[in-house]
C-alpha cells in the first residue's frame, strides 16, 4: 500500500542532526530514491547499501563539489510497500538552505508466484479433479527456500482456498520494553484451478462416472462472483 | 472509471449561452450534483429530471432570491461512471461573476448480480460437478428482464468462464453522418463455482468414481492466480 510508513528505527536519526557552518532558515525539499525490494527480502529483512551522489560546499575553496556516499540501512521483515527511510541532511547542500534529507522509498517488486496482501501471500495451484474430490497431500513452495507439506481435505467448492497459517510475511508486533522484537506471520493462501478430465461420450468409464456421481447436471444459483473478483492488492 | 467523459449531446448547449445584464470577467465554479444510475438505466438509456435550487438576482427589486428549477437530460446507453452533463449558466448568480454551470455527475450504483468492466458485465453461477463435467443448458439472467439460454460445453478448467456475446452493456459507436446511432454490446461473462459432491469413503459409488476417473490425485503446478485476482473494476 502507498502508506507513508516510517521505519521506527530511523526516526531517532533526526535527533542527531549535525550542526552546520550557518543556520539556514529554510530546508531544501527531500531527495527521494526508490529502492527495489523483493518479497524474499521482506521475509527475513535485508540490509541495503545505496550509493548516492550529492552536492556539498567546500568551505576552504568556497565552491561546490560532487561527492559520492554510501548509505546503509536495514529493511525490517514485513516492511510495507512505500515505506520511507529518512537520512536527515544527507542530500544536496546549497548556500541559503539546510541540506535536504535523503529519503529511500521501498518499491515492492512483483513476484512470479505470490501476490502480497498486507502480511498474507496468495498463490495458485493447478490440481486434478481426483485431488479435489478425494483430498491428498500437497507440497506448496513458499518464499525463499520454504516449502509446506500440507494435507488437503476433499474440497466442497472449486473456489475454497487452502489457508496455510504462518506461511505469509512477518508482521512487526509491538514488543514489551526490554523484550526482543517478536514477529507473527501472515497466512499463505492457496487458490485452486481444477483441471477437469475430458470424458468422451459413450465410453464405459464416462457412463460409470455419470451414473455414480450425485447431482442433476444443473445450475444452482446466479450470484455476484465476489470470490473471483477479490480485491486486487493495492498498487 | 473516473474519466471526465462529456456527453456529446450537451456540448452544444455551451454555444447557446444566454446574455446577462452585465458581462462579468470571472465565472463562478461549477455546481456539481451527483446522479445515481443503475446498470439497468444504462442498458437502454434513461431520461432523468433533476430539481435544483439556485440563487438568482432580481433586477427590479435589486436583490437575490432562491429559485427551484427542473433540469432534464438523457443518459445515453452505456454511459461511463463519472460522465459529466453540463448545463451552462444554470447555477447560482452573483453580482460580480457569471452564473456557475450546473454539472451532473453520473454515479453508477453497485448491482447484486453484475460487476461492470467497461461494456462487459461479469456474473457468477454456482453449478454442480455433473454440469461442469458433461455440459448442459443454462439460463442466465441478464439486466432488466433479459435472460440468455446457453448451451455449455463440458468445462476443461474450473476457472474457464462462459462468454455470452452481446449480453453486456451497449457501447456507443461512432456513426456515419446522417446514419442513425448504432450500438454494439459488450459481453456477459459468467464465472463458475463448482459445488463438489461429498463422497463418503468406502461407499460403492465413491470407489466406482475413484477408479473410473482419470488423473492421479496430484497437484500439477503452482502459479500466480491471475485468473482469480482479476483486476477489480475501477472504482
Amino acid at each position: 500500500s502507498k502508506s507513508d510508513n516510517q521505519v521506527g528505527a530511523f526516526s531517532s536519526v533526526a535527533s542527531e542532526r549535525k550542526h552546520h557552518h550557518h543556520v539556514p532558515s529554510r530546508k531544501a525539499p527531500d531527495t527521494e530514491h526508490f529502492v527495489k525490494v523483493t518479497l524474499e527480502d521482506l521475509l527475513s529483512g535485508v540490509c541495503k547499501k545505496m550509493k548516492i551522489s550529492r552536492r556539498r560546499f567546500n568551505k576552504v575553496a568556497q565552491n561546490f563539489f560532487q561527492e559520492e556516499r554510501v548509505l546503509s540501512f536495514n529493511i525490517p521483515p514485513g516492511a510495507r510497500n512505500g515505506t520511507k527511510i529518512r537520512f536527515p541532511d544527507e542530500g544536496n547542500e546549497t548556500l541559503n538552505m539546510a541540506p535536504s534529507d535523503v529519503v529511500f522509498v521501498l518499491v515492492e517488486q512483483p513476484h512470479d508466484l505470490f501476490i502480497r496482501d498486507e502480511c498474507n501471500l496468495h498463490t495458485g495451484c493447478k490440481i486434478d479433479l481426483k485431488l479435489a474430490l478425494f483430498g491428498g497431500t500437497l507440497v506448496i513452495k513458499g518464499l525463499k527456500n520454504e516449502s509446506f507439506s500440507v494435507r488437503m481435505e476433499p474440497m466442497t467448492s472449486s473456489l475454497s482456498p487452502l489457508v496455510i497459517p504462518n506461511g505469509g510475511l512477518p508482521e512487526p508486533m509491538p514488543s514489551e520494553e526490554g523484550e526482543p522484537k517478536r514477529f507473527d506471520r501472515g497466512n499463505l493462501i492457496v487458490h485452486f484451478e481444477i483441471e477437469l478430465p475430458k470424458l468422451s461420450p459413450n465410453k464405459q468409464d464416462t457412463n460409470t462416472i455419470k451414473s455414480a456421481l450425485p447431482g442433476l447436471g444443473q445450475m444452482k444459483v446466479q450470484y455476484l462472483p465476489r470470490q473471483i473478483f477479490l480485491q486486487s492488492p493495492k498498487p
Side-chain angles (χ1 to χ4, degrees), chain A:
Chain A
S1 67
K2 271 186 186 155
S3 61
D4 230 270
N5 291 320
Q6 200 80 31
V7 172
F10 296 97
S11 313
S12 60
V13 183
S15 57
E16 297 166 26
R17 179 170 288 190
K18 297 174 206 88
H19 294 284
H20 294 279
H21 51 288
H22 63 124
V23 184
S25 51
R26 290 180 304 152
K27 172 115 185 135
D30 294 344
T31 307
E32 286 197 337
H33 299 277
F34 295 96
V35 183
K36 292 181 179 177
V37 283
T38 63
L39 292 180
E40 282 85 353
D41 289 341
L42 296 173
L43 183 59
S44 43
V46 69
C47 179
K48 288 271 183 188
K49 287 189 205 315
M50 300 293 289
K51 190 189 271 182
I52 59 159
S53 176
R54 63 181 193 178
R55 195 174 59 240
R56 288 277 135 170
F57 187 70
N58 182 327
K59 272 192 275 184
V60 177
Q62 287 287 307
N63 60 13
F64 284 99
F65 63 101
Q66 207 70 16
E67 173 183 77
E68 287 200 328
R69 205 165 130 72
V70 174
L71 299 175
S72 69
F73 52 93
N74 290 315
I75 296 174
R80 299 287 204 272
N81 190 26
T83 295
K84 290 182 175 182
I85 294 164
R86 180 174 298 272
F87 287 86
D89 306 339
E90 293 284 354
N92 294 325
E93 210 167 15
T94 59
L95 279 179
N96 53 359
M97 278 192 281
S100 66
D101 291 356
V102 167
V103 174
F104 294 104
V105 183
L106 302 195
V107 180
E108 202 181 279
Q109 298 300 290
H111 196 285
D112 278 348
L113 285 185
F114 304 103
I115 294 173
R116 178 189 190 173
D117 175 24
E118 305 284 329
C119 288
N120 297 325
L121 294 173
H122 294 264
T123 190
C125 263
K126 196 177 265 193
I127 60 175
D128 66 21
L129 179 59
K130 227 171 193 165
L131 182 58
L133 280 178
F134 301 103
T137 300
L138 289 177
V139 178
I140 308 284
K141 198 184 151 356
L143 279 174
K144 279 185 163 172
N145 298 318
E146 292 191 320
S147 73
F148 302 91
S149 179
V150 280
R151 169 79 206 162
M152 191 177 92
E153 294 303 310
M155 293 169 68
T156 57
S157 156
S158 60
L159 293 181
S160 315
L162 178 69
V163 177
I164 304 176
N166 298 312
L169 284 171
E171 185 161 19
M173 296 289 287
S175 56
E176 300 292 312
E177 219 169 306
E179 277 183 47
K181 239 184 169 146
R182 292 179 308 114
F183 289 101
D184 275 2
R185 287 182 64 177
N187 300 323
L188 176 56
I189 299 163
V190 187
H191 304 269
F192 292 105
E193 173 172 8
I194 306 170
E195 211 177 75
L196 298 177
K198 186 168 166 56
L199 302 170
S200 311
N202 306 320
K203 285 272 178 67
Q204 180 56 47
D205 278 355
T206 301
N207 294 332
T208 305
I209 293 167
K210 205 167 191 170
S211 53
L213 208 58
L216 298 164
Q218 281 185 349
M219 173 178 153
K220 302 260 176 172
V221 64
Q222 188 172 342
Y223 64 95
L224 185 71
R226 288 196 209 281
Q227 299 98 315
I228 293 176
F229 286 92
L230 292 178
Q231 287 301 317
S232 65
K234 299 97 201 159

